[in-house]
Amino acid sequence: MNDSKAVIFDMDGVLVDSEPLYIDKVNRFYKLCNKEVSYKELCKLVGSSYNLQKKLMTQWFGEDINEDELMDFYFKKSGKLRFNYDDIINPYIKYILPKLKQDNIKTAIASSSPKEDIEKFLNDCGLNDYFDYVVSGRGFKESKPNPEIYLYTVDKLQVEKGNCIILEDSSYGIQAAKNAGIYVMAHYEPRFGFDQSDADDIFYDFLEAYHKIKEKFENNMD
């Protein structure tokens, strides 16, 4: 380890505003099946692990079907969600990533999304050259709020936890960062009922986040 600094980004809800699209897709699935699920219930999926998604969606379906059968039916019925990540990338992301690189601050993505989705994001947005490491949570036994994905990413970046900042949005992600003992900044998100009170700081856009990151590192993370 050395004095290198690093910023680790969650993807959905942080780098891209993809979560409303996923909620809409699930909502349309239940309507096709003539079932009603409230928007408040659907918001429970945001930031959750795949295992929790399976459990909730099976409960909402309300018939004698196991979780794997329900998800197979869901994917066949609803198909692949098709969109270009560049259309939903959050403002200032493309502006701050080159600046972080110029500042010699390492960057990584640590997302619960499948690796193929992360790769599509990088390709769609032309950002392959701006991340030192990319990690999918699908390769771990437990998802956020378990801290394993963040501890693994910090190790791969070869930085000290005290020289690292995590950018998150969901309650699960924030708790994962706190459980890892790493400073976490939350992207303000009022739409899904997240509890962001455990975050060390909150930011409203990514230009603000960049200035807060710089200030924190210049103050030696005190």
Side-chain angles (χ1 to χ4, degrees), residues 8-220:
I8 302 176
F9 295 80
D10 178 42
M11 187 174 80
D12 295 296
V14 175
L15 291 169
V16 288
D17 190 23
S18 52
E19 290 160 338
L21 297 180
Y22 291 118
I23 289 179
D24 181 65
K25 180 185 177 184
V26 175
N27 184 48
R28 285 186 284 109
F29 164 71
Y30 284 103
K31 287 190 179 300
L32 286 171
C33 297
N34 296 313
K35 298 179 183 297
E36 290 293 329
V37 181
S38 72
Y39 184 76
K40 183 177 181 180
E41 285 293 294
L42 291 170
C43 285
K44 293 179 181 178
L45 297 175
V46 179
S48 66
S49 68
Y50 182 61
N51 286 335
L52 180 55
Q53 291 173 21
K54 291 196 298 182
K55 180 180 179 181
L56 289 173
M57 289 182 66
T58 304
Q59 289 175 353
W60 296 336
F61 200 74
E63 296 182 13
D64 187 16
I65 185 171
N66 69 43
E67 293 178 2
D68 290 330
E69 289 172 341
L70 185 279
M71 296 309 291
D72 285 343
F73 180 56
Y74 164 67
F75 288 124
K76 289 176 183 177
K77 188 86 170 174
S78 59
K80 181 73 174 176
L81 183 59
R82 301 186 183 280
F83 61 91
N84 190 311
Y85 278 106
D86 203 39
D87 293 333
I88 58 170
I89 190 169
N90 274 321
Y92 301 117
I93 291 294
K94 287 188 174 182
Y95 181 76
I96 71 166
L97 285 172
K99 289 187 172 295
L100 291 171
K101 194 174 185 69
Q102 291 169 6
D103 296 334
N104 294 314
I105 297 173
K106 294 182 177 181
T107 55
I109 299 174
S111 168
S112 298
S113 294
K115 188 70 173 287
E116 64 186 50
D117 289 356
I118 302 173
E119 291 173 348
K120 185 178 187 306
F121 158 72
L122 293 172
N123 291 328
D124 284 355
C125 299
L127 295 175
N128 282 286
D129 294 335
Y130 291 103
F131 291 96
D132 297 286
Y133 207 78
V134 171
V135 186
S136 167
R138 295 295 172 90
F140 298 91
K141 289 183 179 180
E142 294 187 47
S143 299
K144 302 171 186 177
N146 186 290
E148 184 179 8
I149 187 172
Y150 283 130
L151 295 174
Y152 176 87
T153 305
V154 167
D155 182 65
K156 289 297 181 180
L157 289 171
Q158 295 187 313
V159 296
E160 299 286 352
K161 290 195 297 182
N163 289 331
C164 186
I165 294 174
I166 292 173
L167 302 188
E168 266 287 359
D169 65 322
S170 73
S171 308
Y172 299 111
I174 292 167
Q175 196 56 54
K178 298 303 291 183
N179 290 341
I182 300 172
Y183 189 91
V184 56
M185 293 169 51
H187 182 209
Y188 178 70
E189 177 53 84
R191 295 174 293 177
F192 308 120
F194 292 152
D195 179 2
Q196 298 183 320
S197 61
D198 283 340
D200 295 292
D201 200 353
I202 291 178
F203 63 95
Y204 292 85
D205 65 59
F206 287 87
L207 188 55
E208 177 191 11
Y210 172 73
H211 290 299
K212 287 187 171 185
I213 288 166
K214 287 285 290 179
E215 182 179 353
K216 194 67 181 173
F217 283 147
E218 286 169 1
N219 291 335
N220 296 317

